[in-house]
């Protein structure tokens, strides 16, 4: 994440929600990896293990993109960061759908992440109109 974040930006509801999503996705991924790390009988990996890593990678990028959009002076560059946040959110949501089909007890936590993503999307819509 960015080293120097002005306090008014770290207090933004969308920024706080991005951090919640990151922590939740990291914990879910850790839990899922315990079940998905084993090789199948034919020696292949469970494809869902990659989606569990993807949710962490996408969620860790949310907060920095929000900060970049807030700190950007030029409208076209600001919209570029907003589009990135939207794309990351959509990818997270689609990876959640895929992970709900995996063979792990951890998939029971995916609806919690999806619920937090829905909250984030509502905050995102409000936030986009304020920029």
């Amino acid at each position: 994440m960015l080293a120097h974040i002005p306090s008014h930006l770290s207090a933004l509801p969308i920024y706080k929600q991005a951090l919640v999503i990151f922590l939740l996705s990291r914990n879910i991924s850790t839990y899922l990896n315990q079940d998905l790390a084993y090789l199948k009988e034919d020696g292949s990996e469970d494809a869902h293990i990659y989606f569990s890593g993807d949710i962490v990678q996408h969620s860790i990028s949310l907060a920095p993109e929000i900060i970049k959009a807030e700190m950007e002076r030029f409208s076209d560059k600001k919209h570029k960061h907003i589009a990135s946040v939207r794309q990351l959110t959509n990818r997270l949501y689609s990876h959640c759908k895929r992970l709900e089909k995996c063979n792990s007890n951890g998939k029971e936590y995916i609806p919690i992440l999806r619920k937090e993503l829905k909250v984030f999307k509502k905050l995102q819509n409000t936030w986009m109109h304020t920029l």
Side-chain angles (χ1 to χ4, degrees):
M1 309 240 172
L2 299 174
H4 302 289
I5 302 170
S7 61
H8 72 283
L9 296 180
S10 62
L12 286 172
I14 190 169
Y15 180 81
K16 289 179 180 180
Q17 186 66 17
L19 295 180
V20 167
I21 289 169
F22 166 65
L23 292 172
L24 187 56
S25 63
R26 186 179 62 183
N27 290 333
I28 290 171
S29 178
T30 300
Y31 191 87
L32 288 173
N33 282 338
Q34 293 173 7
D35 290 340
L36 301 176
Y38 299 103
L39 295 177
K40 296 179 182 179
E41 289 182 16
D42 64 357
S44 64
E45 295 177 308
D46 190 321
H48 292 103
I49 197 163
Y50 297 107
F51 296 123
S52 69
D54 287 345
I55 63 171
V56 175
Q57 290 301 314
H58 295 320
S59 66
I60 200 169
S61 300
L62 284 174
E65 286 296 324
I66 291 167
I67 297 301
K68 288 175 187 175
E70 285 285 337
M71 296 179 76
E72 188 58 58
R73 293 181 186 182
F74 301 107
S75 180
D76 58 330
K77 291 183 180 181
K78 192 177 288 258
H79 287 289
K80 178 181 165 186
H81 295 296
I82 291 169
S84 179
V85 170
R86 184 179 301 125
Q87 184 179 35
L88 289 166
T89 307
N90 290 339
R91 285 182 182 168
L92 279 164
Y93 202 80
S94 68
H95 290 323
C96 285
K97 285 183 178 181
R98 290 180 179 139
L99 285 170
E100 285 179 335
K101 298 173 185 172
C102 74
N103 188 22
S104 171
N105 291 332
K107 69 182 179 183
E108 296 171 2
Y109 297 107
I110 299 296
I112 297 169
L113 180 56
R114 285 180 68 187
K115 179 182 171 191
E116 295 299 329
L117 284 167
K118 285 182 183 179
V119 170
F120 184 81
K121 282 186 175 188
K122 288 180 183 177
L123 291 170
Q124 183 179 354
N125 287 334
T126 304
W127 172 70
M128 288 185 325
H129 289 98
T130 63
L131 292 179

